[in-house]
Every structure is written in structure tokens, then in C-alpha cells.
């Protein structure tokens, strides 16, 4: 035991002394301080001026927080990439937008075939001025084909008084002023015949049957006179407003328009043009069965007719299955009924328009026709800017808005009437703005916008229309600048 104890003591004496960890750290820190004092001074190899060096972060924490050159480069690259992507998206949006057609003269207003029901005129040159004096026009000025020389003394005196009070700058030539006023009054007048009840669809007492028969006979006479007067050149255009569609027929002096391929169209009495919109499957099938050929936007009547005949056959079979008690036919009937496809139909030439007028007359009067759908409960309204048989003259209603210097005119304005009215208006008022309100013919269908089958589908406007027209005199009064807002 004593020997073993002696060996352990000798081994402990030979081993190095054990230093605690805390004492080791303190010793290493003292060595670092002594080394820093004994080392030579550091030489600044950075050529950065002192002013820039002071602006740089000094502390270690600030150095860690500041971005390095690589980080700054990545951030700039990301910013440039974001800007590039935004420019690319904007370019794609601009390229995807449809370019609206540009109109520059009032002669191009024939591109819009809308039958306007109202227009609001604002005289921008004189904010306090208005056209409310149009309500005081004498009724004698509204006679068709009337000129200033044809007026009786009383009507002429009234016209001169109106010119003296409201357009005094035209009184340098009283004869021209009187003719100008007569022309304005005639453009605010149209002729109309309201359609009576249809005896084929409406059950009426025996006492009223005789009156309705007379009214229906007068309507038939008026309907046939419109086509005859247009062929003679007495009526430039007329409109037939039915419950589900409308027909516009154009003849002499009814304006012109440009087709999508760039070819101009100018209707005349020998080559009239008719437009039906919106069309339904039943109406297209009726026209096809009666050999009333028409054109559709982007297609022909043959494709429409074949589709209609095939659809009619399928519908007939589905109806038979439905009567037998099949319950899965309702969805098929709804899917095959293409009432949402309502393209406009164009009839060019006297023969096509004549067949159209004859087929529609039989349809309206409820005469036997195996392919005809049920006739409407009321006969259509007949409209024309010129007088026809049994028609009543009507004048636009002039309304002065209390909170707005603009003057609103409510009535029926054909495209050519509107063009002539605005052209004459610039004679007295070089700066004005006219906001147009679309009527029933120009409204969008309940299924959506006009699309490919809109009212102006055969013109440059396509599915668009004119919302407003403004005129401004430029170059010291030597020229007029027209601006059209297309929507």
C-alpha cells in the first residue's frame, strides 16, 4: 500500500498543472492586449476620402445592416424586372383593346343607324344660352316641304319675330333667316301611326269589332303606302316598330355608310336597303320558307336557314317525347332554342325588300302561313320623317332643364334628320355639344350588348354607336372641327 501511494505522488508531480477554464480565458485576453501594443501601426490602404469615409457606417452593427454591393445589384435588377413586366402587361392590354372607329364629319353619321329618341344640346360658347326658344316655333313652319317664300303673312311675321329675338345675327339677310328657321322646324317633325289591336289575337266585344276593323284597314293602307312612296322618292326612309323587332328601310337621300370591307353603300329608290334587328329563330325560319333572302354579319342566310331547319326538326322530336312523359327533355329544349343568337339581317335590292315587306305584312295581319309564328297582339308602329297615308304629324318636345343650361329634345330623330339638324345648328352656334339618347331600335337586347349582331353590324361602327357629337370652330372661324364619342 505504501508503495502504491508513493507511485501516485510521483506521477502527480510529473503531470502539468491543471488551470481552470476561466483563468485560461483571462490569460488569452492578456496575451491579445500585449500583442496589440507591440504590433506596428496599421497602414490605411483605402483611398476613400475622409468625407466619404465619415458618411459610411462605422459600427459593426451598422456594417451588418447596410446592404452589400451584391445586394444592391440584386435589388436594382428586381426593380427593373418589375418595371419591364408592368410595361409588358400594359402593352398586352393596349393590344387587346379594340380600336374604335374614327369619324370626322357629320356626313359619316349615317354609320349609326340608331333611331334616337332624345338629344341634349349644350351651347358651349355661351354657357347661359339655350335652345328653349324652339318651343315657340309656329305650327305653320312644320309643314312638309315648306320654304320661307311660301309662308303666309301672319306666319312670316311670327318667324321674323323669333329670329329677331333669338338669332338676331342672322337678320342681315331676313330671307335666309326665315328659310333657316323653317328647315329647323321641319327637322324636328316626324309622322307616325300607332298600331291598333290585332283582331286575330285579341278578343273584343262585338260593338268594338267594327271600329277595330276600320283601324286595321287604315293601318294596312298606311303600311302599303310607305313602300310605294319610298319607291317614288317621296319618303327617304321609314321604320316599322314591332313588339320583338324593328325594321328600317332606306331609300333616296337617306344617307350612306361603309361596310366592313370598305365598300360604300348608298341606298336609292331603285336599290333600297332594309335592316331587321334583332332577329329570332322563328323570324329567320319564316323568311327562309318564303324565300326572303338576307345577309347576316359574317355569314349568309343559307347557314342560318340550315341551322334553323335542323333545330326545328330536333325540337319537334323533343316535344313529342315530352308529351309522352319524358322528363329529360326540358334542358334540351332550352339549349336548342337559339334566341340568344339575334343577329341583324340585311336586305339589299328592291326584290329582297319587297319580299320582306310582303311576308311581314302577312305575319302582322295573321294571315295563314304554315311557317309563321303567332302574330303580335298589337300591330306595329309606323314612323317616317315625311308624310304618308293616315299618318299624324308630331313635333319634338323641347324641355329646358332647370339645373343644367342644356336643352333636351324628345321625339323621334332619324339618322339623316339628325345630321341635317346639327349641320344647320352650327350656322348660328359654332360651338355646341349634342348628347344622344338611343331609342328602342338602338337599345341593347336583354341578352347583352349588340355584339356581332348589333344594329350597326354592317357599318364601320360594328357593335358601337355614337354617344355624343361636338362641334368647334377653329382657324379663326374658317373651319369646323367635329368630334364624335363612340361607345
Amino acid at each position: 500500500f505504501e508503495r502504491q501511494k508513493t507511485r501516485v505522488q510521483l506521477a502527480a508531480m510529473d503531470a502539468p498543472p491543471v488551470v481552470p477554464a476561466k483563468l485560461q480565458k483571462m490569460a488569452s485576453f492578456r496575451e491579445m492586449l500585449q500583442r496589440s501594443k507591440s504590433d506596428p501601426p496599421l497602414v490605411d490602404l483605402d483611398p476613400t476620402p475622409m468625407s466619404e469615409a465619415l458618411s459610411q457606417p462605422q459600427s459593426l452593427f451598422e456594417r451588418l445592416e447596410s446592404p452589400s454591393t451584391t445586394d444592391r445589384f440584386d435589388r436594382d435588377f428586381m426593380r427593373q424586372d418589375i418595371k419591364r413586366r408592368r410595361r409588358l402587361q400594359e402593352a398586352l392590354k393596349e393590344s387587346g383593346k379594340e380600336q374604335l372607329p374614327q369619324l370626322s364629319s357629320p356626313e359619316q353619321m349615317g354609320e349609326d343607324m340608331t333611331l334616337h329618341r332624345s338629344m341634349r344640346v349644350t351651347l358651349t360658347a355661351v354657357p347661359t344660352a339655350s335652345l328653349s326658344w324652339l318651343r315657340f316655333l309656329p305650327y305653320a313652319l312644320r309643314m312638309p316641304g315648306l320654304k320661307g317664300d311660301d309662308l303666309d303673312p301672319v306666319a312670316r311675321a311670327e318667324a321674323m319675330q323669333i329670329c329677331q329675338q333669338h338669332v338676331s345675327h342672322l337678320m342681315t339677310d331676313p330671307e335666309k333667316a326665315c328659310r333657316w328657321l323653317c328647315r329647323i322646324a321641319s327637322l324636328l317633325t316626324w309622322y307616325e301611326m300607332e298600331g291598333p289591336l290585332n283582331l286575330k289575337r285579341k278578343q273584343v266585344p262585338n260593338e268594338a269589332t267594327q271600329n277595330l276593323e276600320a283601324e286595321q284597314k287604315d293601318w294596312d293602307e298606311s303600311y302599303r303606302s310607305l313602300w310605294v312612296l319610298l319607291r317614288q322618292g317621296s319618303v327617304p326612309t321609314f321604320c316599322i316598330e314591332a313588339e320583338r323587332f324593328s325594321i328600317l328601310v332606306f331609300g333616296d337621300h337617306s344617307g350612306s355608310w361603309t361596310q366592313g370591307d370598305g365598300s360604300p353603300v348608298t341606298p336609292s329608290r331603285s336599290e333600297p336597303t332594309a335592316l331587321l334587328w334583332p332577329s329570332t329563330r322563328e323570324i329567320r325560319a319564316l323568311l327562309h320558307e318564303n324565300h326572303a333572302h338576307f345577309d347576316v354579319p359574317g355569314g349568309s342566310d343559307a347557314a342560318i336557314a340550315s341551322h334553323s331547319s335542323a333545330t326545328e326538326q330536333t325540337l319537334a322530336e323533343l316535344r313529342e317525347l315530352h308529351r309522352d312523359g319524358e322528363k329529360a327533355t326540358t334542358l334540351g329544349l332550352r339549349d336548342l332554342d337559339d334566341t340568344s343568337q339575334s343577329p341583324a339581317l340585311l336586305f339589299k335590292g328592291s326584290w329582297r325588300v319587297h319580299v320582306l315587306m310582303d311576308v311581314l305584312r302577312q305575319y302582322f295581319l295573321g294571315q295563314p302561313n304554315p311557317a309563321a309564328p303567332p302574330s303580335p297582339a298589337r300591330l306595329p308602329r309606323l314612323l317616317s320623317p315625311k308624310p304618308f297615308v293616315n299618318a299624324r304629324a308630331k313635333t319634338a318636345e323641347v324641355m329646358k332643364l332647370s339645373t343644367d343650361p342644356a336643352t333636351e329634345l324628345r321625339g323621334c330623330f332619324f339618322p339623316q334628320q339628325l345630321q341635317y339638324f346639327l349641320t344647320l345648328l352650327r350656322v348660328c352656334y359654332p360651338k355646341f355639344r349634342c348628347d344622344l339618347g338611343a331609342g328602342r331600335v338602338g337599345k341593347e337586347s336583354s341578352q347583352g350588348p349588340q355584339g356581332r349582331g348589333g344594329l350597326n353590324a354592317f357599318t364601320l361602327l360594328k357593335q358601337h354607336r355614337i354617344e355624343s357629337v361636338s362641334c368647334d370652330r377653329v382657324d379663326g372661324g374658317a373651319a369646323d372641327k367635329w368630334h364624335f364619342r363612340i361607345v
Side-chain angles (χ1 to χ4, degrees):
F1 177 77
E2 289 295 337
R3 291 179 182 176
Q4 185 68 21
K5 183 178 179 180
T6 303
R7 289 180 186 152
V8 172
Q9 290 178 355
L10 292 175
M13 292 175 62
D14 296 336
V18 178
V19 183
K22 186 175 182 180
L23 294 179
Q24 290 181 359
K25 291 182 179 180
M26 293 178 62
S28 61
F29 184 70
R30 289 193 185 96
E31 291 179 0
M32 291 175 60
L33 289 178
Q34 292 178 359
R35 194 181 306 112
S36 62
K37 292 180 181 179
S38 60
D39 290 341
L42 298 176
V43 179
D44 189 7
L45 299 178
D46 189 5
T48 307
M50 183 61 65
S51 59
E52 297 183 9
L54 292 177
S55 63
Q56 296 178 356
Q58 298 297 324
S59 64
L60 178 62
F61 180 77
E62 292 178 352
R63 290 180 183 273
L64 293 176
E65 286 292 324
S66 62
S68 63
T69 305
T70 305
D71 296 338
R72 193 177 295 112
F73 175 78
D74 294 341
R75 186 170 60 184
D76 294 342
F77 178 78
M78 291 176 64
R79 288 178 179 175
Q80 294 177 3
D81 185 64
I82 292 174
K83 291 180 180 179
R84 183 179 60 82
R85 290 175 181 270
R86 289 178 179 175
R87 288 195 299 267
L88 181 60
Q89 292 177 358
E90 292 176 359
L92 291 176
K93 290 181 180 180
E94 292 295 331
S95 62
K97 289 183 179 179
E98 183 179 0
Q99 297 295 330
L100 295 178
Q102 300 296 327
L103 306 180
S104 58
S105 65
E107 288 75 15
Q108 293 179 300
M109 294 191 67
E111 303 290 342
D112 189 357
M113 300 182 182
T114 306
L115 186 65
H116 299 282
R117 289 298 187 181
S118 66
M119 58 178 171
R120 180 176 296 183
V121 183
T122 306
L123 305 178
T124 56
V126 184
T128 58
S130 67
L131 296 178
S132 58
W133 56 269
L134 292 175
R135 69 181 70 178
F136 304 114
L137 293 176
Y139 186 78
L141 300 181
R142 301 183 176 95
M143 299 300 294
L146 187 66
K147 298 181 180 179
D149 301 336
D150 302 333
L151 289 176
D152 59 85
V154 178
R156 184 179 180 82
E158 294 180 0
M160 289 297 179
Q161 184 179 0
I162 293 176
C163 291
Q164 185 66 36
Q165 293 178 356
H166 303 285
V167 285
S168 57
H169 54 281
L170 293 182
M171 292 303 295
T172 55
D173 191 340
E175 296 296 333
K176 289 185 178 180
C178 191
R179 288 197 297 268
W180 179 85
L181 199 62
C182 291
R183 186 59 175 157
I184 287 289
S186 65
L187 292 175
L188 299 179
T189 305
W190 75 98
Y191 297 85
E192 176 179 333
M193 183 177 185
E194 191 70 28
L197 294 176
N198 196 343
L199 289 176
K200 299 292 184 180
R201 293 288 308 277
K202 203 73 174 178
Q203 297 294 333
V204 297
N206 295 331
E207 298 80 8
T209 303
Q210 186 175 1
N211 295 333
L212 284 178
E213 288 179 353
E215 293 179 1
Q216 185 167 320
K217 184 178 180 181
D218 293 341
W219 181 91
D220 187 22
E221 187 179 3
S222 301
Y223 182 91
R224 288 184 284 121
S225 70
L226 282 172
W227 174 242
V228 175
L229 292 173
L230 185 133
R231 293 282 289 170
Q232 293 176 355
S234 301
V235 171
T237 179
F238 62 87
C239 177
I240 304 173
E241 282 191 353
E243 292 180 354
R244 297 185 178 182
F245 58 88
S246 298
I247 305 98
L248 283 168
V249 184
F250 302 93
D252 274 343
H253 309 293
S254 59
S256 60
W257 62 86
T258 305
Q259 292 183 340
D261 56 357
S263 59
V265 178
T266 305
S268 62
R269 70 176 75 179
S270 59
E271 291 293 329
T273 303
L275 180 72
L276 187 149
W277 183 83
S279 66
T280 59
R281 175 181 53 82
E282 293 84 0
I283 293 297
R284 294 193 294 269
L286 170 65
L287 297 174
H288 173 67
E289 292 295 333
N290 290 272
H291 306 284
H293 302 288
F294 51 82
D295 297 328
V296 296
S300 62
D301 59 340
I304 294 290
S306 61
H307 175 71
S308 299
S309 59
T311 304
E312 183 63 31
Q313 182 180 1
T314 306
L315 286 174
E317 296 176 356
L318 288 175
R319 290 191 185 98
E320 292 181 0
L321 294 175
H322 186 67
R323 285 193 295 267
D324 294 340
E326 295 290 342
K327 298 181 180 180
T329 57
T330 305
L331 181 61
L333 288 171
R334 185 171 64 249
D335 291 343
L336 288 174
D337 189 5
D338 60 340
T339 53
S340 61
Q341 301 293 334
S342 304
L345 307 181
L346 183 67
F347 302 82
K348 297 177 64 176
S350 59
W351 176 251
R352 288 190 175 189
V353 179
H354 176 77
V355 175
L356 169 69
M357 296 290 294
D358 185 59
V359 171
L360 292 181
R361 175 179 173 271
Q362 298 179 24
Y363 163 69
F364 291 139
L365 296 177
Q367 296 182 1
N369 194 325
S375 58
R378 181 178 288 274
L379 296 178
R381 180 188 294 111
L382 307 178
L383 303 165
S384 175
K386 296 295 182 180
F388 58 95
V389 178
N390 300 326
R392 297 177 57 185
K394 292 194 174 183
T395 307
E397 183 181 4
V398 183
M399 302 182 62
K400 177 65 173 67
L401 304 179
S402 57
T403 59
D404 195 341
T407 303
E408 185 173 358
L409 305 177
R410 296 180 181 178
C412 178
F413 309 102
F414 286 84
Q416 198 67 13
Q417 279 184 302
L418 184 61
Q419 172 190 338
Y420 291 154
F421 177 77
L422 297 181
T423 305
L424 289 176
L425 193 64
R426 68 175 180 178
V427 175
C428 290
Y429 306 101
K431 294 183 180 181
F432 63 87
R433 174 186 172 90
C434 179
D435 298 314
L436 304 176
R440 180 170 180 262
V441 181
K443 283 184 179 179
E444 296 173 351
S445 62
S446 59
Q447 288 82 11
Q450 295 180 6
R452 72 176 182 91
L455 185 64
N456 302 319
F458 296 96
T459 68
L460 289 178
L461 296 183
K462 299 298 181 182
Q463 70 270 24
H464 307 285
R465 67 177 182 88
I466 300 176
E467 185 184 49
S468 64
V469 184
S470 59
C471 179
D472 191 6
R473 190 153 293 178
V474 296
D475 296 337
D480 295 325
K481 182 179 180 180
W482 294 84
H483 175 72
F484 297 85
R485 176 177 173 81
I486 311 296
V487 294

